Amino acid sequence: MLLSTLFLALRSIRRNLLRSFLTILGIVIGVSAVITMVTLGNGATLAVQMQISSLGTNLLMVRPGQRQGPGGPGGGAPSFKEADADAILSQIGGVAAVAPEARAGATVIGNGRNWSTSVTGSNDTWFVTGNWKLASGREFTDEETQSGAAVCIVGETVRREIYGGTRGLGEQLRIKQFSCEVIGVLASKGQGAMGNDQDDTVLVPLRTLQRRVTGNLRVNSLLVSMQDGSDSTRLKAALRDLLRERRKLAAGDDDNFNILDTQQLADTLSGTTKVMTTLLGAVAAVSLLVGGIGIMNIMLVSVTERTREIGLRLAIGALEREVLMQFLIEAVTLAALGGLIGIGIATVASFALAKVMGVPYLFDPTINMLSFVFSACIGVVFGYFPARRAARMDPIEALRHE
Amino acid sequence: MSEALIRLRGVTKKYGTGQAELMALKGIDLDVAAGEFVAIMGPSGSGKSTAMNILGCLDTPTAGQYLFHGAHVEALSRDQRARLRRRYLGFVFQGFNLLARTSAQENVELPLLYRGESATVRHAAASRALQSVGLGGWEHHTPGELSGGQQQRVAIARAIVTEPAVVLADEPTGNLDTQRSEEIMELLRALNVDHGITVLMVTHEHDMAAYARRVVHFVDGRIESDVPNPHPAAPRAPAVPAQVQAP
């Protein structure tokens, strides 16, 4: 009986193809909106996580000043020294590498062009902590690092702006008053988590920067890379104690430096996008509800229109519950069909939109399944009232209906 | 008369209350034995349609008894009456009441669907029923593609596909011209004579009532006369005219 009722419902849907389509339009839009929103939201979350991890995995960024978050170093607080980096590496367990980093803004000139960029002074461990790779050329030698040689490694953006189509290796690049030889080009990382261009930099040995560009021995930040599986909370505590001691802070003093955990940053940012995803999904879910009301509307019209048919079915011996089931199944079938079409549209739309927005496309089976089940439930809820109305008709009245 | 298939005793039907109260039936006694062909006549408002609804178990009397096959219909619930209808009764309406955009075959199968018959059984029975009303070969035509007379034949096929004990026909020829009317009456007569199906028919045309073997006249909610028709109209044309036998 159930199967033949389903068959009946399908037949009735096919008989009124245009109306059936209009009925489910609301559900189609609702389902595709929910799925598209959630899929894109998930993609955006993943994109954020990927950008953060491009900063370096298991990375702690230590900066002077109390300011938390991804802002610049706080003013007034003393900067670090190169010796701090050595101390961290030798005295704290679980540290894989430490890179001291100093930065200065400078206009670089080469190949008859100039480009305003940020010059980074560090050494080879910077490649480890920052997860950097070389596109071509080589890293600094120990000798170059020790002596502060006039060599540099350029980021992809700088290479493109100064050298255009050529590789740039072996060329001279002038930074402020001194010239250095380009010995390598960094592999591109693209946009960072804060929307900054990570490739817009020139790397020189730390000593080179200190002697020839900034003229002081300051180190702006320490990049601490933790070993895999080490306890970041304990390591951070040890790091804090060591730095407090080295910076001669008394017991009551506040820290005059801050430690930024990229994992924490990733969690915070992806938490934000997750909240946005949920919000957008919820708004889209309202349209699903509106779609349900659309189904109820059309089903009521359909019941009125088919009064004689219902009268006939009742007269030839259909039970109340059979008529109820017929219309209920019709509503559920319509709604479920709408859900399926919605899923189809959402798949195409979110794939295309993900391409346009530059976020990865992630098929989420849960939200697809959930939307489908939810739309079928909407069919039950909003189909019940019209179906009951049909089932309770008086066959004599119904047969007389014009 | 031995055991009556249908027995009405003191059946009244009242519509509305107070000032608007209307007594549609004012105490009807009627016995119909299995195998009869009864025409119910009377002016409009005489209560013949109300009586037909009660006989067809679509409605219940306000007072009085209705025994069908020994069961007290007046005491049955809505669903119990539905079960009784699907088991014993077949209906033919003035307006045909076929499902639009649905083939003749599917229309005829409809009552079997509610009986829970399998698709194979439904298919075979519906084909047989259509054959017997002279519409073999028209199975896949929809009502819109059939003439009025053919539509009423489909309706009759639908009424008899369940092999009912009684067929109730409410002005079955009301929407048809004389020639089609006679064909339909021939069909009903054949059902009665050849298959032993009891036929109850409401009509206001004497020509049509002439096919019945008993004529009951309603006037003002009461049975005014109940007379046998010893010489029912004889077939003047073959039950199934040659031109509708095949597409």
Side-chain angles (χ1 to χ4, degrees):
Chain A
M1 190 64 215
L2 203 71
L3 201 73
S4 55
T5 314
L6 180 71
F7 201 65
L8 252 163
L10 283 174
R11 197 177 296 166
S12 148
I13 289 166
R14 204 186 51 205
R15 235 185 271 145
N16 292 296
L17 212 54
L18 180 66
R19 193 176 63 192
S20 301
F21 173 71
L22 291 175
T23 309
I24 62 176
L25 200 58
I27 295 276
V28 170
I29 292 172
V31 167
S32 45
V34 169
I35 297 179
T36 308
M37 288 298 163
V38 172
T39 306
L40 288 179
N42 287 345
T45 307
L46 184 75
V48 167
Q49 281 166 347
M50 274 164 35
Q51 283 167 353
I52 303 272
S53 73
S54 78
L55 281 176
T57 41
N58 287 339
L59 181 69
L60 301 177
M61 295 169 79
V62 189
R63 288 178 172 178
Q66 288 169 338
R67 189 138 136 226
Q68 292 292 322
S79 54
F80 300 107
K81 296 188 200 62
E82 203 182 341
D84 291 330
D86 301 333
I88 291 167
L89 186 62
S90 58
Q91 291 177 37
I92 298 177
V95 173
V98 182
E101 185 190 78
R103 274 177 188 266
T107 299
V108 296
I109 303 161
N111 196 24
R113 301 183 212 180
N114 65 60
W115 180 247
S116 178
T117 184
S118 126
V119 181
T120 306
S122 191
N123 48 45
D124 285 338
T125 50
W126 189 79
F127 288 93
V128 179
T129 57
N131 218 1
W132 286 98
K133 301 265 182 306
L134 282 173
S136 61
R138 59 169 180 88
E139 296 181 3
F140 304 126
T141 61
D142 284 349
E143 206 267 317
E144 282 164 350
T145 308
Q146 291 299 321
S147 64
V151 288
C152 62
I153 297 172
V154 297
E156 173 58 23
T157 304
V158 176
R159 186 204 60 77
R160 192 180 63 235
E161 295 299 333
I162 300 288
Y163 304 108
T166 66
R167 288 207 299 169
L169 284 183
E171 301 276 352
Q172 290 295 307
L173 184 72
R174 212 170 67 156
I175 303 171
K176 287 201 168 166
Q177 291 87 2
F178 84 103
S179 271
C180 59
E181 186 195 344
V182 177
I183 59 162
V185 178
L186 294 170
S188 174
K189 275 215 227 175
Q191 206 180 54
M194 267 58 77
N196 53 322
D197 181 1
Q198 298 182 92
D199 299 326
D200 187 7
T201 193
V202 174
L203 180 70
V204 296
L206 179 63
R207 292 228 170 115
T208 313
L209 185 88
Q210 288 174 335
R211 282 181 199 159
R212 307 208 189 189
V213 181
T214 62
N216 57 49
L217 290 175
R218 283 182 204 145
V219 168
N220 298 122
S221 52
L222 300 169
L223 307 173
V224 181
S225 187
M226 295 180 284
Q227 283 169 7
D228 280 341
S230 58
D231 180 353
S232 76
T233 318
R234 223 185 49 214
L235 203 146
K236 269 190 281 185
L239 183 60
R240 181 164 170 251
D241 289 345
L242 178 71
L243 286 172
R244 281 183 71 89
E245 190 194 313
R246 288 184 66 84
R247 292 161 79 84
K248 301 185 174 63
L249 293 174
D253 291 350
D254 288 333
D255 292 349
N256 59 1
F257 59 92
N258 66 74
I259 303 170
L260 181 76
D261 187 342
T262 51
Q263 191 53 50
Q264 248 172 29
L265 184 69
D267 291 348
T268 311
L269 285 179
S270 59
T272 311
T273 50
K274 271 180 189 149
V275 168
M276 286 304 288
T277 305
T278 313
L279 268 175
L280 287 172
V283 170
V286 172
S287 66
L288 248 182
L289 217 63
V290 175
I293 293 168
I295 285 210
M296 179 156 76
N297 252 323
I298 306 282
M299 287 301 292
L300 276 175
V301 171
S302 162
V303 164
T304 309
E305 213 179 74
R306 287 155 70 186
T307 301
R308 277 167 75 93
E309 175 193 328
I310 295 161
L312 174 82
R313 288 176 187 278
L314 289 168
I316 63 173
L319 303 181
E320 233 179 87
R321 113 182 107 76
E322 288 167 340
V323 174
L324 182 89
M325 280 308 277
Q326 183 196 336
F327 281 89
L328 204 54
I329 287 181
E330 202 172 309
V332 173
T333 310
L334 272 174
L337 212 66
L340 279 181
I341 297 175
I343 287 174
I345 292 178
T347 307
V348 175
S350 40
F351 190 78
L353 281 173
K355 270 262 163 62
V356 172
M357 288 166 59
V359 299
Y361 170 75
L362 282 179
F363 180 78
D364 183 345
T366 317
I367 192 67
N368 279 278
M369 205 56 219
L370 209 69
S371 301
F372 179 71
V373 171
F374 189 65
S375 58
C377 288
I378 275 181
V380 175
V381 172
F382 290 99
Y384 182 75
F385 176 61
R388 201 190 58 172
R389 189 152 139 175
R392 298 235 172 128
M393 278 183 184
D394 174 10
I396 301 166
E397 293 285 330
L399 279 169
R400 224 179 270 150
H401 185 88
E402 288 304 325
Chain B
M1 204 174 287
S2 58
E3 192 51 40
L5 176 66
I6 287 168
R7 172 168 288 175
L8 298 183
R9 283 293 175 272
V11 166
T12 64
K13 183 70 190 180
K14 196 163 71 177
Y15 290 115
T17 48
Q19 289 290 319
E21 190 177 291
L22 177 80
M23 287 291 274
L25 292 177
K26 301 170 180 170
I28 302 289
D29 295 332
L30 183 68
D31 283 338
V32 178
E36 284 199 81
F37 188 160
V38 182
I40 296 172
M41 300 195 70
S44 51
S46 62
K48 59 184 195 302
S49 287
T50 308
M52 206 51 178
N53 287 338
I54 289 175
L55 286 167
C57 303
L58 291 166
D59 207 350
T60 49
T62 309
Q65 285 187 336
Y66 173 22
L67 281 129
F68 183 87
H69 245 305
H72 281 270
V73 177
E74 74 276 5
L76 297 180
S77 72
R78 210 178 124 107
D79 274 355
Q80 283 171 321
R81 280 186 281 123
R83 285 180 203 282
L84 197 134
R85 288 198 295 273
R86 71 162 77 152
R87 176 119 185 250
Y88 296 108
L89 306 180
F91 291 89
V92 178
F93 306 95
Q94 180 179 0
F96 319 141
N97 278 323
L98 299 175
L99 300 191
R101 281 164 288 176
T102 307
S103 72
Q105 174 85 26
E106 289 177 58
N107 264 294
V108 175
E109 281 184 25
L110 198 62
L112 296 171
L113 203 68
Y114 289 111
R115 280 196 169 189
E117 302 288 0
S118 73
T120 341
V121 171
R122 291 203 306 265
H123 196 82
S127 297
R128 248 194 336 268
L130 280 169
Q131 199 82 47
S132 72
V133 297
L135 286 179
W138 292 80
E139 286 88 348
H140 300 296
H141 289 69
T142 60
E145 299 162 354
L146 297 171
S147 71
Q150 286 172 319
Q151 288 186 51
Q152 194 61 300
R153 282 160 185 276
V154 174
I156 291 173
R158 183 181 63 196
I160 62 171
V161 74
T162 57
E163 296 170 359
V166 181
V167 166
L168 296 108
D170 194 353
E171 306 219 18
T173 59
N175 285 5
L176 301 173
D177 63 34
T178 314
Q179 204 203 323
R180 305 292 154 229
S181 295
E182 282 171 1
E183 287 168 18
I184 294 300
M185 289 316 299
E186 278 306 327
L187 261 175
L188 290 176
R189 198 193 60 80
L191 288 182
N192 177 247
V193 173
D194 303 341
H195 300 278
I197 295 174
T198 308
V199 178
L200 299 179
M201 176 182 73
V202 167
T203 184
H204 55 249
E205 290 170 87
H206 286 279
D207 290 351
M208 303 305 141
Y211 283 85
R213 287 188 282 162
R214 178 181 168 191
V215 180
V216 177
H217 265 276
F218 275 66
V219 172
D220 196 23
R222 290 196 174 82
I223 293 176
E224 190 200 49
S225 69
D226 184 351
V227 291
N229 179 13
H231 304 293
R236 282 186 294 190
V240 178
Q243 72 266 24
V244 296
Q245 203 145 30

